Amino acid sequence: MDGVPTSESNKALVRRHFEETFNQRHLASCDVLFARDFIEHAVAPFGAAAPGLVDGPAHMRQTVEWLIAQYPDLHLRIEQVVAEGDLVVARVRSTGTNLGPLNGVIPATGRRFDSYACHWFRVVDGLLAEHWAVRDDLTSMVQIGVVTAPRPPDGETSGSTGAGAPVARRAWRPQAPPTPLA
Protein backbone atom coordinates (compact mmCIF):
# COMPACT_ATOMS: atom_id res chain seq x y z
CA MET A 1 0.00 0.00 0.00
CA ASP A 2 2.39 2.66 -1.23
CA GLY A 3 1.46 6.24 -0.39
CA VAL A 4 -0.84 5.23 2.48
CA PRO A 5 0.36 6.67 5.80
CA THR A 6 1.26 4.06 8.40
CA SER A 7 1.62 4.28 12.14
CA GLU A 8 5.39 4.37 11.64
CA SER A 9 5.27 7.22 9.11
CA ASN A 10 2.86 9.13 11.38
CA LYS A 11 5.22 8.68 14.35
CA ALA A 12 8.13 9.89 12.19
CA LEU A 13 6.10 13.00 11.29
CA VAL A 14 5.55 13.84 14.98
CA ARG A 15 9.22 13.22 15.81
CA ARG A 16 10.23 15.46 12.91
CA HIS A 17 7.91 18.22 14.18
CA PHE A 18 9.49 18.34 17.65
CA GLU A 19 13.05 18.04 16.39
CA GLU A 20 12.85 20.53 13.51
CA THR A 21 10.42 23.17 14.76
CA PHE A 22 11.33 23.28 18.45
CA ASN A 23 14.87 21.96 18.83
CA GLN A 24 16.42 23.15 15.55
CA ARG A 25 14.19 26.27 15.34
CA HIS A 26 13.65 25.52 11.64
CA LEU A 27 10.29 27.27 11.39
CA ALA A 28 10.01 26.82 7.62
CA SER A 29 9.34 23.13 8.31
CA CYS A 30 5.93 24.17 9.68
CA ASP A 31 4.84 24.72 6.06
CA VAL A 32 5.44 21.06 5.18
CA LEU A 33 4.41 19.43 8.49
CA PHE A 34 1.12 21.18 9.32
CA ALA A 35 -2.23 21.30 7.57
CA ARG A 36 -3.56 24.78 6.74
CA ASP A 37 -6.86 23.78 8.37
CA PHE A 38 -5.46 22.81 11.77
CA ILE A 39 -7.56 22.32 14.89
CA GLU A 40 -5.82 23.33 18.13
CA HIS A 41 -7.47 21.95 21.27
CA ALA A 42 -4.64 22.84 23.68
CA VAL A 43 -5.03 25.93 25.84
CA ALA A 44 -1.81 27.89 26.35
CA PRO A 45 -0.64 28.39 29.96
CA PHE A 46 -2.78 31.16 31.50
CA GLY A 47 -5.02 31.00 28.42
CA ALA A 48 -8.78 31.15 28.60
CA ALA A 49 -9.69 28.89 25.67
CA ALA A 50 -8.19 26.77 22.92
CA PRO A 51 -7.83 28.61 19.59
CA GLY A 52 -9.84 26.05 17.57
CA LEU A 53 -9.51 26.14 13.78
CA VAL A 54 -6.32 28.00 12.80
CA ASP A 55 -3.80 28.24 9.97
CA GLY A 56 -1.55 25.35 11.07
CA PRO A 57 1.86 26.56 9.84
CA ALA A 58 1.31 30.13 11.06
CA HIS A 59 -0.04 28.96 14.41
CA MET A 60 2.92 26.67 15.04
CA ARG A 61 5.47 29.34 14.07
CA GLN A 62 3.79 31.77 16.51
CA THR A 63 3.75 29.11 19.25
CA VAL A 64 7.46 28.35 18.85
CA GLU A 65 8.39 32.06 18.73
CA TRP A 66 6.24 32.74 21.83
CA LEU A 67 7.90 29.92 23.80
CA ILE A 68 11.45 30.76 22.65
CA ALA A 69 10.95 34.39 23.73
CA GLN A 70 10.34 33.05 27.26
CA TYR A 71 12.76 30.12 27.21
CA PRO A 72 15.57 30.71 24.68
CA ASP A 73 17.22 27.37 25.52
CA LEU A 74 13.97 25.38 25.31
CA HIS A 75 14.51 21.75 24.39
CA LEU A 76 11.86 19.07 23.89
CA ARG A 77 12.86 15.42 24.03
CA ILE A 78 10.45 12.70 22.97
CA GLU A 79 10.54 9.91 25.51
CA GLN A 80 7.85 7.72 23.96
CA VAL A 81 5.65 7.67 20.87
CA VAL A 82 2.59 5.51 20.32
CA ALA A 83 0.41 5.48 17.22
CA GLU A 84 -2.82 3.86 16.18
CA GLY A 85 -4.55 4.69 12.94
CA ASP A 86 -4.38 8.44 12.35
CA LEU A 87 -3.59 9.29 16.02
CA VAL A 88 -0.10 9.72 17.46
CA VAL A 89 0.72 10.34 21.12
CA ALA A 90 4.13 11.60 22.24
CA ARG A 91 5.31 11.81 25.84
CA VAL A 92 7.69 14.77 25.81
CA ARG A 93 10.17 16.03 28.40
CA SER A 94 10.61 19.80 28.17
CA THR A 95 13.46 21.75 29.72
CA GLY A 96 14.44 25.40 29.60
CA THR A 97 15.44 28.53 31.46
CA ASN A 98 13.00 31.40 31.91
CA LEU A 99 15.02 34.32 30.49
CA GLY A 100 12.17 36.28 28.89
CA PRO A 101 8.95 37.70 30.32
CA LEU A 102 6.44 34.92 30.97
CA ASN A 103 3.48 35.46 28.65
CA GLY A 104 5.10 38.83 27.94
CA VAL A 105 3.97 40.04 31.38
CA ILE A 106 5.67 38.34 34.36
CA PRO A 107 9.36 39.28 34.65
CA ALA A 108 11.87 36.53 33.83
CA THR A 109 13.12 34.59 36.85
CA GLY A 110 16.28 33.09 35.35
CA ARG A 111 15.25 29.71 36.77
CA ARG A 112 15.06 26.36 34.94
CA PHE A 113 12.16 23.99 34.53
CA ASP A 114 11.98 20.31 33.68
CA SER A 115 8.53 18.81 33.13
CA TYR A 116 6.51 16.42 31.02
CA ALA A 117 3.61 16.70 28.62
CA CYS A 118 1.64 14.35 26.41
CA HIS A 119 0.86 15.64 22.93
CA TRP A 120 -1.80 13.99 20.79
CA PHE A 121 -1.89 14.60 17.05
CA ARG A 122 -4.27 13.52 14.30
CA VAL A 123 -2.58 13.03 10.94
CA VAL A 124 -4.53 13.68 7.73
CA ASP A 125 -3.00 13.26 4.27
CA GLY A 126 0.51 13.12 5.75
CA LEU A 127 0.14 16.40 7.69
CA LEU A 128 -0.45 17.23 11.33
CA ALA A 129 -4.10 18.32 11.36
CA GLU A 130 -5.23 18.34 14.99
CA HIS A 131 -3.56 18.66 18.42
CA TRP A 132 -4.42 18.07 22.06
CA ALA A 133 -2.02 18.43 25.00
CA VAL A 134 -1.90 17.46 28.64
CA ARG A 135 0.95 19.43 30.24
CA ASP A 136 2.32 19.71 33.76
CA ASP A 137 2.25 23.52 33.79
CA LEU A 138 2.01 23.69 37.60
CA THR A 139 5.34 21.92 38.08
CA SER A 140 6.95 24.23 35.52
CA MET A 141 5.56 27.38 37.17
CA VAL A 142 6.71 26.24 40.64
CA GLN A 143 10.19 25.39 39.31
CA ILE A 144 10.68 28.78 37.65
CA GLY A 145 9.36 30.55 40.74
CA VAL A 146 6.18 32.25 39.53
CA VAL A 147 3.95 30.01 41.66
CA THR A 148 4.76 29.10 45.24
CA ALA A 149 4.21 25.52 46.32
CA PRO A 150 1.80 25.25 49.27
CA ARG A 151 3.47 24.79 52.63
CA PRO A 152 2.06 23.74 56.00
CA PRO A 153 1.54 26.54 58.52
CA ASP A 154 4.52 27.51 60.70
CA GLY A 155 5.37 24.89 63.30
CA GLU A 156 3.58 22.08 61.47
CA THR A 157 5.12 19.31 59.47
CA SER A 158 3.49 17.65 56.53
CA GLY A 159 0.91 15.19 57.76
CA SER A 160 0.64 16.70 61.25
CA THR A 161 -2.47 16.87 63.39
CA GLY A 162 -2.25 20.63 63.74
CA ALA A 163 -0.68 20.40 67.21
CA GLY A 164 2.78 19.80 65.79
CA ALA A 165 2.65 16.03 66.24
CA PRO A 166 2.98 13.92 63.09
CA VAL A 167 0.03 11.76 62.11
CA ALA A 168 0.69 8.05 62.37
CA ARG A 169 0.77 6.49 58.91
CA ARG A 170 -0.41 2.99 58.14
CA ALA A 171 1.01 0.86 55.37
CA TRP A 172 -1.43 0.26 52.54
CA ARG A 173 -2.90 -3.23 52.48
CA PRO A 174 -5.28 -4.60 49.88
CA GLN A 175 -8.84 -4.77 51.09
CA ALA A 176 -11.35 -7.49 50.33
CA PRO A 177 -14.09 -6.27 47.99
CA PRO A 178 -17.36 -5.42 49.74
CA THR A 179 -19.91 -8.18 49.95
CA PRO A 180 -23.16 -7.49 48.10
CA LEU A 181 -26.22 -6.86 50.24
CA ALA A 182 -28.92 -9.48 50.00
Side-chain angles (χ1 to χ4, degrees), residues 102-156:
L102 189 65
N103 261 9
V105 177
I106 301 171
T109 65
R111 293 175 61 181
R112 290 190 55 75
F113 81 95
D114 184 333
S115 66
Y116 286 90
C118 286
H119 294 272
W120 291 67
F121 293 92
R122 188 167 56 87
V123 178
V124 175
D125 297 330
L127 297 172
L128 300 172
E130 198 164 2
H131 174 249
W132 300 261
V134 180
R135 298 180 313 265
D136 187 3
D137 291 335
L138 180 57
T139 293
S140 300
M141 297 301 114
V142 169
Q143 289 174 353
I144 67 169
V146 297
V147 172
T148 303
R151 305 252 188 263
D154 288 343
E156 291 186 26

Tab-separated table of all heavy atoms in Angstrom, residues 102-156:
chain	number	residue	atom	x	y	z
A	102	LEU	N	7.416	35.982	31.094
A	102	LEU	CA	6.439	34.915	30.970
A	102	LEU	C	5.131	35.496	30.445
A	102	LEU	O	4.592	36.440	31.018
A	102	LEU	CB	6.223	34.253	32.333
A	102	LEU	CG	5.402	32.988	32.331
A	102	LEU	CD1	6.113	31.886	31.557
A	102	LEU	CD2	5.150	32.534	33.755
A	103	ASN	N	4.674	34.943	29.333
A	103	ASN	CA	3.479	35.462	28.654
A	103	ASN	C	3.626	36.939	28.313
A	103	ASN	O	2.633	37.646	28.162
A	103	ASN	CB	2.226	35.243	29.505
A	103	ASN	CG	1.443	34.038	29.070
A	103	ASN	OD1	1.898	33.259	28.247
A	103	ASN	ND2	0.270	33.881	29.619
A	104	GLY	N	4.850	37.429	28.244
A	104	GLY	CA	5.099	38.834	27.941
A	104	GLY	C	4.763	39.767	29.084
A	104	GLY	O	4.814	40.984	28.929
A	105	VAL	N	4.446	39.222	30.273
A	105	VAL	CA	3.970	40.038	31.384
A	105	VAL	C	4.804	39.858	32.656
A	105	VAL	O	5.282	40.826	33.242
A	105	VAL	CB	2.486	39.689	31.704
A	105	VAL	CG1	1.983	40.459	32.901
A	105	VAL	CG2	1.606	39.940	30.488
A	106	ILE	N	4.966	38.613	33.103
A	106	ILE	CA	5.667	38.336	34.360
A	106	ILE	C	7.169	38.377	34.096
A	106	ILE	O	7.660	37.700	33.193
A	106	ILE	CB	5.245	36.960	34.913
A	106	ILE	CG1	3.732	36.931	35.164
A	106	ILE	CG2	6.006	36.640	36.201
A	106	ILE	CD1	3.180	35.560	35.516
A	107	PRO	N	7.913	39.176	34.873
A	107	PRO	CA	9.362	39.281	34.645
A	107	PRO	C	10.060	37.915	34.696
A	107	PRO	O	9.667	37.035	35.467
A	107	PRO	CB	9.841	40.170	35.793
A	107	PRO	CG	8.631	40.916	36.237
A	107	PRO	CD	7.470	40.011	35.992
A	108	ALA	N	11.085	37.763	33.869
A	108	ALA	CA	11.865	36.528	33.831
A	108	ALA	C	12.484	36.261	35.190
A	108	ALA	O	12.897	37.183	35.891
A	108	ALA	CB	12.948	36.636	32.761
A	109	THR	N	12.555	34.977	35.547
A	109	THR	CA	13.123	34.589	36.848
A	109	THR	C	14.545	34.055	36.731
A	109	THR	O	15.241	33.958	37.732
A	109	THR	CB	12.253	33.501	37.505
A	109	THR	OG1	12.319	32.311	36.702
A	109	THR	CG2	10.820	33.966	37.680
A	110	GLY	N	14.949	33.663	35.528
A	110	GLY	CA	16.279	33.089	35.352
A	110	GLY	C	16.372	31.656	35.853
A	110	GLY	O	17.452	31.080	35.866
A	111	ARG	N	15.249	31.065	36.233
A	111	ARG	CA	15.254	29.705	36.774
A	111	ARG	C	14.854	28.694	35.696
A	111	ARG	O	14.150	29.004	34.752
A	111	ARG	CB	14.312	29.622	37.970
A	111	ARG	CG	14.847	30.465	39.124
A	111	ARG	CD	13.937	30.545	40.313
A	111	ARG	NE	13.687	29.221	40.899
A	111	ARG	CZ	12.901	29.042	41.946
A	111	ARG	NH1	12.305	30.058	42.527
A	111	ARG	NH2	12.715	27.830	42.422
A	112	ARG	N	15.311	27.459	35.899
A	112	ARG	CA	15.055	26.362	34.943
A	112	ARG	C	13.812	25.575	35.310
A	112	ARG	O	13.420	25.529	36.477
A	112	ARG	CB	16.242	25.407	34.896
A	112	ARG	CG	17.462	26.019	34.235
A	112	ARG	CD	18.566	25.021	33.963
A	112	ARG	NE	18.194	23.853	33.195
A	112	ARG	CZ	17.961	23.819	31.882
A	112	ARG	NH1	18.058	24.926	31.176
A	112	ARG	NH2	17.639	22.696	31.274
A	113	PHE	N	13.237	24.937	34.300
A	113	PHE	CA	12.159	23.989	34.528
A	113	PHE	C	12.469	22.691	33.800
A	113	PHE	O	13.272	22.655	32.864
A	113	PHE	CB	10.802	24.559	34.085
A	113	PHE	CG	10.568	24.444	32.605
A	113	PHE	CD1	9.861	23.371	32.082
A	113	PHE	CD2	11.053	25.393	31.732
A	113	PHE	CE1	9.647	23.254	30.719
A	113	PHE	CE2	10.845	25.289	30.375
A	113	PHE	CZ	10.140	24.219	29.860
A	114	ASP	N	11.830	21.634	34.256
A	114	ASP	CA	11.982	20.307	33.683
A	114	ASP	C	10.660	19.589	33.950
A	114	ASP	O	10.371	19.239	35.093
A	114	ASP	CB	13.147	19.588	34.376
A	114	ASP	CG	13.454	18.224	33.789
A	114	ASP	OD1	12.539	17.581	33.237
A	114	ASP	OD2	14.620	17.789	33.903
A	115	SER	N	9.841	19.428	32.918
A	115	SER	CA	8.532	18.813	33.134
A	115	SER	C	8.106	18.015	31.906
A	115	SER	O	8.749	18.066	30.860
A	115	SER	CB	7.491	19.874	33.476
A	115	SER	OG	7.275	20.728	32.384
A	116	TYR	N	7.009	17.310	32.073
A	116	TYR	CA	6.505	16.424	31.024
A	116	TYR	C	5.168	16.901	30.475
A	116	TYR	O	4.414	17.592	31.155
A	116	TYR	CB	6.329	15.003	31.570
A	116	TYR	CG	7.638	14.294	31.766
A	116	TYR	CD1	8.327	14.383	32.965
A	116	TYR	CD2	8.197	13.557	30.740
A	116	TYR	CE1	9.535	13.739	33.140
A	116	TYR	CE2	9.403	12.910	30.895
A	116	TYR	CZ	10.073	13.002	32.105
A	116	TYR	OH	11.273	12.373	32.266
A	117	ALA	N	4.904	16.453	29.257
A	117	ALA	CA	3.607	16.697	28.622
A	117	ALA	C	3.321	15.527	27.687
A	117	ALA	O	4.242	14.847	27.225
A	117	ALA	CB	3.632	17.997	27.824
A	118	CYS	N	2.052	15.312	27.427
A	118	CYS	CA	1.636	14.347	26.408
A	118	CYS	C	0.948	15.137	25.310
A	118	CYS	O	0.038	15.926	25.578
A	118	CYS	CB	0.679	13.314	26.980
A	118	CYS	SG	1.514	12.119	28.026
A	119	HIS	N	1.418	14.966	24.101
A	119	HIS	CA	0.856	15.645	22.934
A	119	HIS	C	0.210	14.603	22.030
A	119	HIS	O	0.847	13.619	21.656
A	119	HIS	CB	1.945	16.403	22.167
A	119	HIS	CG	2.520	17.523	22.934
A	119	HIS	ND1	1.984	18.789	22.913
A	119	HIS	CD2	3.595	17.579	23.774
A	119	HIS	CE1	2.693	19.571	23.692
A	119	HIS	NE2	3.665	18.863	24.232
A	120	TRP	N	-1.042	14.849	21.701
A	120	TRP	CA	-1.799	13.986	20.792
A	120	TRP	C	-1.957	14.727	19.470
A	120	TRP	O	-2.301	15.913	19.463
A	120	TRP	CB	-3.196	13.722	21.354
A	120	TRP	CG	-3.245	12.869	22.569
A	120	TRP	CD1	-2.780	13.179	23.813
A	120	TRP	CD2	-3.798	11.573	22.661
A	120	TRP	NE1	-3.026	12.153	24.665
A	120	TRP	CE2	-3.653	11.154	23.996
A	120	TRP	CE3	-4.423	10.728	21.743
A	120	TRP	CZ2	-4.104	9.914	24.427
A	120	TRP	CZ3	-4.875	9.496	22.180
A	120	TRP	CH2	-4.709	9.097	23.502
A	121	PHE	N	-1.719	14.031	18.373
A	121	PHE	CA	-1.892	14.601	17.046
A	121	PHE	C	-2.755	13.671	16.204
A	121	PHE	O	-2.662	12.455	16.315
A	121	PHE	CB	-0.545	14.759	16.330
A	121	PHE	CG	0.359	15.782	16.943
A	121	PHE	CD1	1.290	15.412	17.898
A	121	PHE	CD2	0.285	17.118	16.563
A	121	PHE	CE1	2.136	16.348	18.466
A	121	PHE	CE2	1.124	18.059	17.119
A	121	PHE	CZ	2.048	17.668	18.075
A	122	ARG	N	-3.563	14.271	15.344
A	122	ARG	CA	-4.266	13.524	14.301
A	122	ARG	C	-3.579	13.873	12.995
A	122	ARG	O	-3.328	15.049	12.698
A	122	ARG	CB	-5.750	13.886	14.236
A	122	ARG	CG	-6.532	12.980	13.281
A	122	ARG	CD	-8.041	13.132	13.441
A	122	ARG	NE	-8.468	14.505	13.266
A	122	ARG	CZ	-8.776	15.056	12.092
A	122	ARG	NH1	-8.698	14.357	10.985
A	122	ARG	NH2	-9.170	16.304	12.028
A	123	VAL	N	-3.259	12.856	12.222
A	123	VAL	CA	-2.577	13.026	10.939
A	123	VAL	C	-3.586	12.810	9.817
A	123	VAL	O	-4.313	11.817	9.813
A	123	VAL	CB	-1.402	12.030	10.805
A	123	VAL	CG1	-0.723	12.178	9.445
A	123	VAL	CG2	-0.400	12.220	11.940
A	124	VAL	N	-3.646	13.768	8.890
A	124	VAL	CA	-4.533	13.680	7.730
A	124	VAL	C	-3.705	13.983	6.482
A	124	VAL	O	-3.050	15.031	6.417
A	124	VAL	CB	-5.710	14.684	7.841
A	124	VAL	CG1	-6.561	14.660	6.575
A	124	VAL	CG2	-6.557	14.395	9.075
A	125	ASP	N	-3.738	13.079	5.536
A	125	ASP	CA	-2.999	13.257	4.272
A	125	ASP	C	-1.527	13.586	4.506
A	125	ASP	O	-0.951	14.443	3.831
A	125	ASP	CB	-3.663	14.335	3.403
A	125	ASP	CG	-5.070	13.958	2.974
A	125	ASP	OD1	-5.345	12.740	2.820
A	125	ASP	OD2	-5.901	14.872	2.798
A	126	GLY	N	-0.914	12.936	5.489
A	126	GLY	CA	0.509	13.116	5.745
A	126	GLY	C	0.876	14.412	6.445
A	126	GLY	O	2.046	14.765	6.501
A	127	LEU	N	-0.115	15.127	6.980
A	127	LEU	CA	0.135	16.399	7.685
A	127	LEU	C	-0.480	16.348	9.080
A	127	LEU	O	-1.499	15.685	9.307
A	127	LEU	CB	-0.480	17.570	6.912
A	127	LEU	CG	0.067	17.839	5.515
A	127	LEU	CD1	-0.791	18.892	4.815
A	127	LEU	CD2	1.528	18.276	5.583
A	128	LEU	N	0.117	17.085	9.996
A	128	LEU	CA	-0.452	17.230	11.333
A	128	LEU	C	-1.667	18.135	11.216
A	128	LEU	O	-1.551	19.272	10.759
A	128	LEU	CB	0.583	17.807	12.295
A	128	LEU	CG	1.846	16.937	12.452
A	128	LEU	CD1	2.908	17.672	13.257
A	128	LEU	CD2	1.506	15.605	13.082
A	129	ALA	N	-2.847	17.611	11.607
A	129	ALA	CA	-4.097	18.323	11.358
A	129	ALA	C	-4.859	18.691	12.626
A	129	ALA	O	-5.770	19.524	12.571
A	129	ALA	CB	-4.998	17.482	10.460
A	130	GLU	N	-4.491	18.075	13.753
A	130	GLU	CA	-5.226	18.336	14.985
A	130	GLU	C	-4.301	18.038	16.159
A	130	GLU	O	-3.452	17.143	16.071
A	130	GLU	CB	-6.467	17.445	15.028
A	130	GLU	CG	-7.525	17.862	15.988
A	130	GLU	CD	-8.871	17.181	15.725
A	130	GLU	OE1	-8.987	16.340	14.795
A	130	GLU	OE2	-9.813	17.499	16.464
A	131	HIS	N	-4.465	18.799	17.272
A	131	HIS	CA	-3.564	18.659	18.420
A	131	HIS	C	-4.312	18.837	19.729
A	131	HIS	O	-5.148	19.723	19.868
A	131	HIS	CB	-2.452	19.721	18.310
A	131	HIS	CG	-1.550	19.776	19.497
A	131	HIS	ND1	-1.545	20.852	20.360
A	131	HIS	CD2	-0.637	18.906	19.972
A	131	HIS	CE1	-0.643	20.639	21.303
A	131	HIS	NE2	-0.083	19.468	21.102
A	132	TRP	N	-3.976	17.963	20.671
A	132	TRP	CA	-4.421	18.070	22.064
A	132	TRP	C	-3.171	17.962	22.919
A	132	TRP	O	-2.181	17.333	22.525
A	132	TRP	CB	-5.334	16.913	22.452
A	132	TRP	CG	-6.595	16.756	21.681
A	132	TRP	CD1	-7.838	17.173	22.051
A	132	TRP	CD2	-6.766	16.112	20.414
A	132	TRP	NE1	-8.764	16.827	21.102
A	132	TRP	CE2	-8.129	16.171	20.076
A	132	TRP	CE3	-5.899	15.488	19.526
A	132	TRP	CZ2	-8.643	15.641	18.915
A	132	TRP	CZ3	-6.403	14.956	18.353
A	132	TRP	CH2	-7.762	15.031	18.056
A	133	ALA	N	-3.172	18.545	24.104
A	133	ALA	CA	-2.016	18.427	25.000
A	133	ALA	C	-2.475	18.332	26.441
A	133	ALA	O	-3.455	18.964	26.844
A	133	ALA	CB	-1.083	19.627	24.841
A	134	VAL	N	-1.743	17.539	27.196
A	134	VAL	CA	-1.903	17.463	28.642
A	134	VAL	C	-0.508	17.770	29.195
A	134	VAL	O	0.412	16.973	29.049
A	134	VAL	CB	-2.376	16.061	29.092
A	134	VAL	CG1	-2.520	16.016	30.606
A	134	VAL	CG2	-3.674	15.692	28.408
A	135	ARG	N	-0.366	18.960	29.778
A	135	ARG	CA	0.945	19.432	30.242
A	135	ARG	C	0.945	19.561	31.760
A	135	ARG	O	-0.084	19.798	32.371
A	135	ARG	CB	1.264	20.800	29.640
A	135	ARG	CG	1.356	20.833	28.141
A	135	ARG	CD	1.675	22.248	27.657
A	135	ARG	NE	0.849	23.248	28.299
A	135	ARG	CZ	-0.283	23.748	27.796
A	135	ARG	NH1	-0.728	23.326	26.631
A	135	ARG	NH2	-0.968	24.661	28.441
A	136	ASP	N	2.148	19.485	32.324
A	136	ASP	CA	2.320	19.710	33.758
A	136	ASP	C	2.782	21.152	33.966
A	136	ASP	O	3.902	21.412	34.383
A	136	ASP	CB	3.324	18.706	34.324
A	136	ASP	CG	3.431	18.775	35.830
A	136	ASP	OD1	2.685	19.561	36.457
A	136	ASP	OD2	4.275	18.061	36.392
A	137	ASP	N	1.905	22.099	33.667
A	137	ASP	CA	2.252	23.516	33.795
A	137	ASP	C	2.515	23.919	35.243
A	137	ASP	O	3.354	24.777	35.500
A	137	ASP	CB	1.143	24.400	33.214
A	137	ASP	CG	1.037	24.286	31.703
A	137	ASP	OD1	2.037	23.931	31.059
A	137	ASP	OD2	-0.047	24.567	31.167
A	138	LEU	N	1.811	23.310	36.202
A	138	LEU	CA	2.010	23.686	37.604
A	138	LEU	C	3.439	23.410	38.041
A	138	LEU	O	4.079	24.282	38.639
A	138	LEU	CB	1.021	22.952	38.510
A	138	LEU	CG	1.153	23.278	40.001
A	138	LEU	CD1	0.990	24.784	40.260
A	138	LEU	CD2	0.153	22.472	40.809
A	139	THR	N	3.959	22.235	37.722
A	139	THR	CA	5.344	21.921	38.078
A	139	THR	C	6.298	22.936	37.460
A	139	THR	O	7.208	23.438	38.122
A	139	THR	CB	5.711	20.493	37.636
A	139	THR	OG1	4.947	19.570	38.414
A	139	THR	CG2	7.188	20.205	37.822
A	140	SER	N	6.084	23.260	36.198
A	140	SER	CA	6.952	24.233	35.521
A	140	SER	C	6.904	25.593	36.202
A	140	SER	O	7.932	26.229	36.430
A	140	SER	CB	6.542	24.386	34.055
A	140	SER	OG	6.646	23.167	33.381
A	141	MET	N	5.712	26.057	36.540
A	141	MET	CA	5.556	27.381	37.168
A	141	MET	C	6.168	27.417	38.567
A	141	MET	O	6.764	28.425	38.968
A	141	MET	CB	4.075	27.779	37.230
A	141	MET	CG	3.401	27.936	35.875
A	141	MET	SD	4.178	29.187	34.822
A	141	MET	CE	4.800	28.166	33.509
A	142	VAL	N	6.070	26.312	39.315
A	142	VAL	CA	6.714	26.241	40.638
A	142	VAL	C	8.227	26.256	40.459
A	142	VAL	O	8.946	26.983	41.155
A	142	VAL	CB	6.253	24.996	41.424
A	142	VAL	CG1	7.112	24.768	42.665
A	142	VAL	CG2	4.777	25.122	41.816
A	143	GLN	N	8.739	25.478	39.520
A	143	GLN	CA	10.187	25.392	39.310
A	143	GLN	C	10.793	26.728	38.901
A	143	GLN	O	11.888	27.071	39.352
A	143	GLN	CB	10.517	24.329	38.263
A	143	GLN	CG	10.285	22.922	38.754
A	143	GLN	CD	10.468	21.894	37.652
A	143	GLN	OE1	10.652	22.201	36.473
A	143	GLN	NE2	10.400	20.633	38.036
A	144	ILE	N	10.098	27.494	38.065
A	144	ILE	CA	10.679	28.778	37.648
A	144	ILE	C	10.383	29.893	38.649
A	144	ILE	O	10.891	30.996	38.516
A	144	ILE	CB	10.271	29.195	36.221
A	144	ILE	CG1	8.788	29.503	36.118
A	144	ILE	CG2	10.730	28.156	35.209
A	144	ILE	CD1	8.392	30.163	34.804
A	145	GLY	N	9.551	29.600	39.638
A	145	GLY	CA	9.359	30.550	40.735
A	145	GLY	C	8.235	31.549	40.572
A	145	GLY	O	8.193	32.534	41.303
A	146	VAL	N	7.297	31.309	39.651
A	146	VAL	CA	6.183	32.250	39.529
A	146	VAL	C	4.960	31.795	40.320
A	146	VAL	O	4.018	32.558	40.502
A	146	VAL	CB	5.796	32.529	38.053
A	146	VAL	CG1	6.949	33.178	37.325
A	146	VAL	CG2	5.336	31.274	37.348
A	147	VAL	N	4.989	30.553	40.787
A	147	VAL	CA	3.947	30.013	41.659
A	147	VAL	C	4.667	29.399	42.850
A	147	VAL	O	5.678	28.720	42.686
A	147	VAL	CB	3.107	28.933	40.933
A	147	VAL	CG1	2.152	28.243	41.889
A	147	VAL	CG2	2.349	29.537	39.766
A	148	THR	N	4.155	29.654	44.036
A	148	THR	CA	4.756	29.101	45.242
A	148	THR	C	4.038	27.820	45.623
A	148	THR	O	2.804	27.792	45.695
A	148	THR	CB	4.656	30.110	46.407
A	148	THR	OG1	5.277	31.321	45.999
A	148	THR	CG2	5.322	29.585	47.652
A	149	ALA	N	4.802	26.777	45.884
A	149	ALA	CA	4.208	25.515	46.315
A	149	ALA	C	3.586	25.704	47.689
A	149	ALA	O	4.139	26.408	48.533
A	149	ALA	CB	5.280	24.427	46.366
A	150	PRO	N	2.422	25.115	47.951
A	150	PRO	CA	1.800	25.249	49.267
A	150	PRO	C	2.671	24.634	50.345
A	150	PRO	O	3.328	23.628	50.124
A	150	PRO	CB	0.474	24.499	49.124
A	150	PRO	CG	0.515	23.783	47.839
A	150	PRO	CD	1.660	24.283	47.039
A	151	ARG	N	2.682	25.257	51.490
A	151	ARG	CA	3.474	24.792	52.628
A	151	ARG	C	2.550	24.698	53.841
A	151	ARG	O	1.612	25.480	53.964
A	151	ARG	CB	4.590	25.781	52.951
A	151	ARG	CG	5.493	26.096	51.775
A	151	ARG	CD	6.847	25.435	51.982
A	151	ARG	NE	7.795	25.860	50.984
A	151	ARG	CZ	8.074	25.166	49.884
A	151	ARG	NH1	7.460	24.049	49.651
A	151	ARG	NH2	8.955	25.588	49.025
A	152	PRO	N	2.857	23.782	54.783
A	152	PRO	CA	2.060	23.739	56.002
A	152	PRO	C	2.299	24.998	56.830
A	152	PRO	O	3.344	25.638	56.692
A	152	PRO	CB	2.569	22.495	56.735
A	152	PRO	CG	3.770	22.017	56.007
A	152	PRO	CD	3.876	22.759	54.707
A	153	PRO	N	1.344	25.369	57.661
A	153	PRO	CA	1.536	26.543	58.521
A	153	PRO	C	2.772	26.390	59.392
A	153	PRO	O	3.227	25.283	59.658
A	153	PRO	CB	0.264	26.574	59.380
A	153	PRO	CG	-0.731	25.772	58.620
A	153	PRO	CD	0.047	24.754	57.839
A	154	ASP	N	3.333	27.524	59.845
A	154	ASP	CA	4.525	27.506	60.703
A	154	ASP	C	4.341	26.547	61.871
A	154	ASP	O	3.274	26.496	62.490
A	154	ASP	CB	4.816	28.908	61.246
A	154	ASP	CG	5.358	29.828	60.171
A	154	ASP	OD1	5.806	29.309	59.128
A	154	ASP	OD2	5.326	31.054	60.369
A	155	GLY	N	5.379	25.794	62.172
A	155	GLY	CA	5.366	24.886	63.303
A	155	GLY	C	4.772	23.526	62.989
A	155	GLY	O	4.829	22.618	63.802
A	156	GLU	N	4.163	23.369	61.824
A	156	GLU	CA	3.583	22.078	61.469
A	156	GLU	C	4.456	21.395	60.434
A	156	GLU	O	5.106	22.041	59.629
A	156	GLU	CB	2.175	22.256	60.884
A	156	GLU	CG	1.154	22.712	61.885
A	156	GLU	CD	-0.243	22.730	61.288
A	156	GLU	OE1	-0.488	21.971	60.333
A	156	GLU	OE2	-1.067	23.500	61.782
